[in-house]
Amino acid sequence: KAPEAEEGQSQDPPELREQRARATLRERYLRSLLAMVGHPVSFTLHEGVHVTAQFGATDLDVANFYVSQLQTPLGVQAEALLRCSDVISYSFKP
Amino acid sequence: MSEWTKKSPLEWEDYVYKEVRVIASEKKEYKGWLLTTDPVSANIVLVNFLEDGSLSVTGIMGHSVQTVETVSEADPRVREQLAHLFTSADCKGYSP
């Protein structure tokens, strides 16, 4: 589990420490995504565009965000995929 | 692609729990306590404690990160709060 994984035992081989760090970072990231499900999230896109939507899911490599109730300047889109390459940042309140 | 996406997990881990300032594409600037960096996408997750006691969580896409600088070192109280964030019972669905 996470707590003991955080203590980097310096005598361990570098590959092991690196793998442990990777696992801890990834688990936390996935948990942060899980906490975002169903919450309104505001996305900052390129060229100063801001949209809000309910977060649904993302793919393994975080290439797309699947959202619902996407509020766009042209109206509300019931379901949409936001390409992560179009996104600069996102924020939500857990 | 920024240098940030090329860092190793151990380098990313160095920033965990620290207060950082991130400069992203289009001169966007973000400040907050770093919770994690996704080793797959290099996305950064920052946490801010708001005055009303609530939290705000911001994710910055790894591809748009230009620079990350440390503003202050990990504070023991913040560290304690961040360590337990998103690991409560309502999130256990993910546990293997």
Side-chain angles (χ1 to χ4, degrees):
Chain A
K1 293 272 298 216
E4 57 260 33
E6 276 166 36
E7 295 164 26
Q9 283 96 347
S10 49
Q11 69 273 28
D12 287 340
E15 319 83 79
L16 184 59
R17 285 195 293 134
E18 182 165 313
Q19 186 52 28
R20 194 182 284 136
R22 190 191 303 277
T24 308
L25 292 166
R26 179 68 169 169
E27 180 178 349
R28 284 188 185 195
Y29 187 70
L30 294 176
R31 286 187 187 277
S32 81
L33 290 177
L34 207 57
M36 195 155 78
V37 174
H39 282 76
V41 178
S42 114
F43 294 90
T44 300
L45 312 180
H46 287 110
E47 292 172 35
V49 180
H50 291 268
V51 293
T52 59
Q54 284 229 337
F55 178 74
T58 181
D59 34 22
L60 207 66
D61 52 355
V62 203
N64 299 279
F65 285 129
Y66 163 68
V67 299
S68 55
Q69 298 301 308
L70 176 70
Q71 323 268 327
T72 76
L74 292 176
V76 179
Q77 190 73 30
E79 314 217 357
L81 274 184
L82 295 176
R83 276 186 309 195
C84 291
S85 53
D86 294 336
V87 177
I88 295 177
S89 67
Y90 59 86
S91 66
F92 74 105
K93 297 189 73 171
Chain B
M1 277 294 156
S2 66
E3 275 179 44
W4 181 254
T5 58
K6 297 185 197 121
K7 287 194 184 293
S8 76
L10 290 170
E11 289 174 296
W12 284 322
E13 202 175 43
D14 271 347
Y15 290 88
V16 169
Y17 298 140
K18 290 181 181 171
E19 188 180 30
V20 299
R21 179 180 289 113
V22 179
I23 309 288
S25 302
E26 302 186 4
K27 296 182 181 160
K28 294 275 186 307
E29 191 177 321
Y30 303 90
K31 194 175 152 188
W33 299 93
L34 194 141
L35 178 70
T36 190
T37 296
D38 176 30
V40 176
S41 60
N43 291 356
I44 296 174
V45 179
L46 298 185
V47 176
N48 279 286
F49 299 92
L50 306 182
E51 282 176 19
D52 63 2
S54 67
L55 294 176
S56 161
V57 178
T58 302
I60 304 145
M61 310 313 284
H63 66 78
S64 73
V65 173
Q66 290 177 351
T67 61
V68 180
E69 57 168 359
T70 304
V71 176
S72 49
E73 294 298 314
D75 171 291
R77 273 186 311 168
V78 171
R79 190 192 183 96
E80 185 64 19
Q81 279 177 282
L82 293 186
H84 297 108
L85 192 59
F86 307 141
T87 59
S88 58
D90 56 311
C91 285
K92 70 182 170 200
Y94 172 66
S95 290

